[in-house]
């Protein structure tokens, strides 16, 4: 079983986001992490390979810094990694997916895993778009995956419940929280990861020219901070009565 | 030339989702500004009877694609039908609710049509003949305004509860179209829906959420009673989910659901940045926490410093009195 995992490097969830002099998001000094959903994808790939044999390749489109994210996946146990280094080229989901699909189309795979969304842009598009380009099915927001005999059975989240879906491989699956508990890289894993292959490719290496994004950002702004409101202290009988009244008469929300 | 503002009318079990009415209500304004027609796309099995209700919220036209194979949502089936329709009629915009289904379908259709898609938008306006969408990035830490200047249709999914529903009654023209479902590669084997009397978390007008302060699964009953008093959904912090007290699908936050209710009541939740990421667009936030230093009070419109096991039942009784 050859498994590919699409992995994106994103801002740390705690990161403070500021705009630079040009009104764009300032990436300087921000600590970066593996997109949390992609950790579930890596973990799932490792579990399948541990059970059935095979290999796990992680692949990312990003700048040189994304190597750190790929190394983390290698330290968890992935076999090799591919970085398509696009420098500071502006990407949207369309161009990212086009690049990923092009890189993947030159590789062997039975299964492609990714996160159901990236926590930075929250788009939940890239993996689905990759599947569409590769002309293979996608099953999104999965919380369970079983692979056997060239087929996969996945449980995916739907509104108000779950559904079980069966699909022939190759196919793309996107991970939702609950799929598994990602392992922490061990010290030994971290040491080994340093020697594992990490191929760096440019767009030209893939035979691609610059791809114009479909989406154009017009302006960025920071949201207005919410103001702290009325905090009531005292006897519960009094504070709850007052709150009920405020919600009814002042906020008009009940 | 591409023309027409289209709204995907999402239905589940013979009911149109409220977010679809919200999109039609706001889409009406956009269509009028651009001088285009507003159309709804209704896909499913035996759904034609729902078409009239879409006219009530402003649709000029409803395209109805019916087929027995469209009873359950499937990525392939729905993508094939919707993408074919778009190719045939060439609308200038296609809007969907940012729901599990809307998100799934939008990405596939957008790629098949090689167009741009803006996800989870919280605003929409017309500027220089383009529809400009507002969307949060980095879990709401940055807001971007963006458009799709060249490709058509411009596609967007819009967060439920962003726009008010406005009745705009019209007798919509109903156009029945062929639904070529095509090959469905991922077959649905089983659908497990947990029956609930409460509204869906992402669409609810009010939510009562519990965190680590709930101390155990059995205590969620206290929250449910308050929720039922005000017709609210129940939510949770990751701490409560990770402790196994409540299912993952109830988690609110950066790695959970993004919600935008009118009222959000956080009980025994400290207000970590990742939790706030999922609910800070609520119109009114109420916090009940025994620690007056808790971060949640910095964003709450109203707070009570108290033990939630005293305050929540008491609040329920007081609310009953004021709404009686
Ligand atoms: C990558 C990543 C993603 C994450 N995603 C999410 C997410 O999507 N959603 C999310 O919620 N978190 C998320 N988290 C976790 C987040 O950082 C916090 O750990 C979590 O939100 C804390 O949950 P809590 O507020 O319930 O618990 P705590 O922080 O432990 O707070 C419990 C609160 O309850 C109060 N309390 C205790 N007992 C009582 C009582 N009897 N009466 C009243 N008050 C009481 C306490 O004073 C305290 O303020 C994420 C973290 C990471 C690193
Ligand atoms: N630049 C990228 N490189 C590799 N994988 C990506 C990239 N962007 C997105 N993905 C994958 O697509 C998923 C969804 O991302 P998004 O559509 O941006 O929310 C992520 O969880 C990754 O698995």
């Amino acid at each position: 079983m050859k498994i590919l995992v699409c992995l994106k490097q994103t801002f740390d969830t705690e990161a403070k986001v500021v705009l630079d002099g040009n009104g764009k998001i300032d990436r300087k000094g921000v600590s970066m992490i593996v997109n949390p959903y992609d950790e579930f994808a890596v973990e799932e790939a490792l579990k399948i390979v541990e059970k059935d044999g095979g290999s796990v390749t992680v692949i990312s489109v990003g700048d040189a810094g994304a190597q750190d994210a790929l190394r983390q996946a290698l330290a968890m146990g992935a076999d090799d990694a591919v970085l398509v280094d696009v420098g500071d080229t502006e990407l949207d989901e369309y161009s990212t997916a086009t690049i990923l699909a092009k890189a993947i189309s030159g590789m062997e795979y039975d299964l492609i895993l990714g996160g159901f969304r990236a926590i930075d842009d929250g788009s939940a598009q890239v993996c689905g778009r990759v599947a569409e380009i590769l002309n293979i099915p996608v099953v999104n927001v999965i919380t369970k995956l079983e692979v056997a005999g060239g087929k996969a059975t996945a449980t995916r989240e739907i509104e108000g419940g779950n559904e079980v879906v069966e699909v022939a491989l190759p196919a793309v699956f996107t991970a939702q929280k609950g799929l598994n508990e990602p392992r922490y890289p061990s010290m030994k894993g971290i040491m080994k990861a340093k020697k594992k292959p990490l191929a760096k490719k440019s767009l030209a290496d893939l035979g691609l020219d610059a791809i114009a994004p479909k989406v154009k950002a017009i302006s960025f702004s920071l949201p207005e901070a919410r103001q702290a409101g009325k905090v009531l202290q005292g006897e519960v009988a009094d504070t709850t009565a007052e709150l009920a009244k405020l919600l009814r008469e002042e906020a008009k929300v009940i | 030339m591409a023309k027409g503002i289209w709204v995907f009318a999402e239905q589940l079990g013979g009911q149109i989702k409220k977010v679809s009415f919200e999109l039609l209500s706001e889409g009406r304004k956009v269509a009028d500004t651009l001088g285009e027609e507003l159309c709804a796309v209704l896909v499913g099995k035996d759904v034609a009877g729902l078409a009239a209700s879409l006219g009530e919220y402003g649709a000029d036209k409803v395209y109805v694609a019916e087929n027995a194979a469209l009873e359950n949502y499937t990525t392939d089936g729905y993508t094939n039908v919707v993408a074919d329709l778009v190719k045939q009629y060439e609308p200038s915009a296609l809007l969907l609710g940012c729901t599990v289904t809307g998100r799934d379908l939008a990405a596939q259709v957008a790629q098949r049509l090689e167009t741009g898609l803006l996800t989870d938008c919280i605003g929409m306006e017309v500027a220089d003949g383009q529809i400009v969408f507002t969307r949060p990035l980095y879990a709401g830490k940055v807001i971007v305004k963006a458009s799709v200047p060249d490709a058509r249709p411009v596609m967007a999914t819009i967060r439920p509860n962003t726009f008010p529903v406005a009745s705009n009654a019209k007798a919509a023209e109903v156009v029945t179209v062929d639904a070529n479902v095509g090959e469905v590669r991922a077959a649905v084997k089983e659908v497990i829906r947990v029956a609930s009397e409460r509204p869906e978390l992402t669409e609810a007008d009010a939510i009562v959420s519990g965190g680590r302060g709930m101390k155990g699964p059995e205590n969620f009953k206290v929250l449910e009673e308050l929720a039922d008093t005000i017709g609210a959904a129940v939510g949770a912090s990751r701490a409560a989910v990770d402790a196994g007290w409540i299912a993952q699908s109830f988690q609110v936050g950066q790695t959970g659901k993004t919600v935008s209710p009118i009222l959000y009541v956080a009980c025994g939740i400290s207000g970590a940045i990742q939790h706030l990421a999922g609910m800070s667009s609520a119109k009114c936030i109420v916090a009940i926490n025994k620690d007056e230093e808790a971060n949640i009070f910095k964003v709450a419109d109203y707070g009570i410093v108290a033990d939630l096991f005293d305050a929540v039942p008491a609040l329920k009784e007081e609310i009953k009195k004021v709404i009686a």
Side-chain angles (χ1 to χ4, degrees):
Chain A
M1 181 82 49
K2 268 211 69 82
I3 306 180
L4 305 183
V5 180
C6 299
L7 182 147
K8 186 178 190 182
Q9 190 181 42
T10 59
F11 280 27
D12 190 326
T13 56
E14 299 276 354
K16 199 168 152 37
V17 181
V18 294
L19 301 180
D20 66 16
N22 300 320
K24 298 224 165 136
I25 294 162
D26 196 344
R27 309 183 71 87
K28 272 200 302 291
V30 176
S31 75
M32 304 294 284
I33 58 168
V34 174
N35 180 38
Y37 293 97
D38 302 356
E39 289 187 6
F40 302 129
V42 173
E43 176 64 34
E44 198 64 18
L46 295 173
K47 275 171 54 183
I48 295 170
V49 164
E50 280 161 4
K51 196 167 139 276
D52 298 336
S55 68
V56 178
T57 302
V58 279
I59 167 163
S60 191
V61 176
D63 60 14
Q67 281 181 73
D68 296 343
L70 291 170
R71 288 275 176 223
Q72 186 182 325
L74 293 174
M76 284 170 76
D79 298 283
D80 62 339
V82 178
L83 171 65
V84 183
D85 189 344
V86 293
D88 55 8
T89 310
E90 276 187 40
L91 299 171
D92 70 350
E93 297 79 7
Y94 166 81
S95 52
T96 305
T98 306
I99 297 166
L100 270 174
K102 182 78 185 186
I104 289 171
S105 63
M107 298 159 81
E108 264 181 68
Y109 56 86
D110 300 295
L111 204 71
I112 301 176
L113 285 161
F116 105 82
R117 69 173 181 203
I119 59 164
D120 49 5
D121 55 38
S123 303
Q125 292 183 34
V126 168
C127 288
R129 283 177 179 268
V130 167
E132 180 68 27
I133 302 171
L134 297 172
N135 198 17
I136 58 176
V138 59
V139 183
N140 282 314
V141 284
I142 64 163
T143 51
K144 195 173 169 200
L145 182 64
E146 273 162 28
V147 181
K151 269 197 302 198
T153 308
T155 303
R156 72 176 215 97
E157 199 177 274
I158 55 172
E159 195 187 306
N162 296 292
E163 72 185 12
V164 181
V165 165
E166 192 180 271
V167 63
L169 301 180
V172 176
F173 299 87
T174 66
Q176 165 67 309
K177 185 174 170 244
L179 182 62
N180 53 45
E181 256 329 302
R183 67 194 68 185
Y184 289 102
S186 64
M187 213 42 221
K188 206 168 128 217
I190 295 169
M191 295 312 289
K192 268 171 124 177
K194 293 190 175 140
K195 294 195 194 80
K196 288 183 179 171
L198 192 161
K200 285 178 214 157
K201 295 193 170 161
S202 66
L203 289 185
D205 293 336
L206 296 176
L208 287 172
D209 291 330
I211 298 158
K214 303 285 181 190
V215 170
K216 183 169 178 274
I218 300 166
S219 63
F220 295 91
S221 60
L222 300 180
E224 273 177 47
R226 282 189 91 103
Q227 299 297 319
K230 284 184 193 155
V231 179
L232 312 173
Q233 304 221 33
E235 289 299 319
V236 164
D238 303 332
T239 55
T240 53
E242 191 179 348
L243 178 60
K245 197 159 162 259
L246 286 167
L247 293 177
R248 181 76 171 180
E249 289 167 13
E250 188 178 84
K252 300 193 170 60
V253 292
I254 55 170
Chain B
M1 207 183 83
K3 272 238 175 295
I5 308 299
W6 280 23
V7 170
F8 174 71
E10 184 177 339
Q11 56 83 24
L12 181 66
Q15 276 218 301
I16 304 277
K17 303 226 58 124
K18 190 174 101 202
V19 65
S20 304
F21 296 140
E22 294 166 6
L23 298 191
L24 285 170
S25 303
E26 193 72 11
R28 186 68 260 167
K29 299 182 199 163
V30 172
D32 289 342
T33 309
L34 292 170
E36 299 189 23
E37 45 172 27
L38 179 69
C39 307
V41 183
L42 183 56
V43 180
K45 180 193 173 212
D46 301 332
V47 289
L50 301 171
S53 68
L54 299 165
E56 281 167 33
Y57 295 93
D60 297 306
K61 209 181 258 175
V62 182
Y63 293 100
V64 180
E66 287 187 314
N67 191 312
L70 295 167
E71 179 170 17
N72 281 321
Y73 173 80
T74 58
T75 306
D76 285 342
Y78 275 58
T79 300
N80 292 340
V81 168
V82 174
D84 279 358
L85 263 178
V86 170
K87 280 185 195 158
Q88 187 181 346
Y89 292 95
E90 302 185 331
S92 59
L94 174 59
L95 311 174
L96 304 90
C98 193
T99 58
V100 183
T101 296
R103 235 188 330 228
D104 190 88
L105 177 62
Q108 298 320 112
V109 172
Q111 186 56 39
R112 187 153 315 164
L113 302 168
E114 298 196 22
T115 190
L117 164 63
L118 295 148
T119 321
D120 198 20
C121 298
I122 53 167
M124 168 168 79
E125 67 205 296
V126 177
D128 300 328
Q130 294 277 356
I131 309 179
V132 175
F133 294 92
T134 307
R135 60 184 297 250
L137 297 177
Y138 298 93
K141 291 178 200 168
V142 187
I143 308 292
V144 65
K145 285 190 187 248
S147 67
V148 178
D150 303 316
R152 286 293 173 268
V154 40
M155 287 185 59
T157 62
I158 298 187
R159 188 179 292 180
N161 285 347
T162 295
F163 302 125
V165 288
S167 161
N168 228 314
K170 290 205 159 200
E173 181 192 339
V174 176
V175 183
T176 309
V177 295
D178 289 341
N180 292 318
V181 180
E183 189 197 355
V184 175
R185 295 166 295 182
V188 177
K189 290 284 160 195
E190 199 184 344
V191 177
I192 312 138
R193 276 213 170 80
V194 191
S196 170
E197 298 287 297
R198 297 193 189 95
E200 160 72 14
L201 196 51
T202 53
E203 287 209 328
D205 285 335
I207 295 171
V208 179
S209 275
R212 201 190 309 272
M214 296 306 298
K215 304 215 160 54
E218 62 287 357
N219 298 328
F220 270 82
K221 201 157 183 321
V222 194
L223 291 191
E224 288 167 5
E225 285 170 6
L226 173 59
D228 292 340
T229 307
I230 55 173
V234 171
S237 74
R238 172 162 152 182
V241 170
D242 285 356
W245 302 340
I246 185 165
Q248 166 66 38
S249 57
F250 292 92
Q251 183 179 317
V252 171
Q254 192 158 13
T255 41
K257 300 248 154 63
T258 306
V259 297
S260 217
I262 294 167
L263 174 63
Y264 188 90
V265 186
C267 308
I269 292 177
S270 62
I273 190 161
Q274 296 93 348
H275 188 79
L276 301 183
M279 43 62 84
S280 54
S281 62
K283 283 164 202 80
C284 177
I285 298 175
V286 170
I288 299 175
N289 197 301
K290 65 180 182 189
D291 173 12
E292 64 180 292
E293 300 291 320
N295 196 49
I296 191 80
F297 288 123
K298 298 205 179 96
V299 299
D301 299 285
Y302 302 102
I304 295 185
V305 181
D307 189 314
L308 73 91
F309 296 103
D310 299 331
V312 173
L315 181 61
K316 180 192 70 183
E317 295 306 325
E318 295 298 336
I319 286 178
K320 274 190 186 159
K321 283 187 213 160
V322 301
I323 61 177

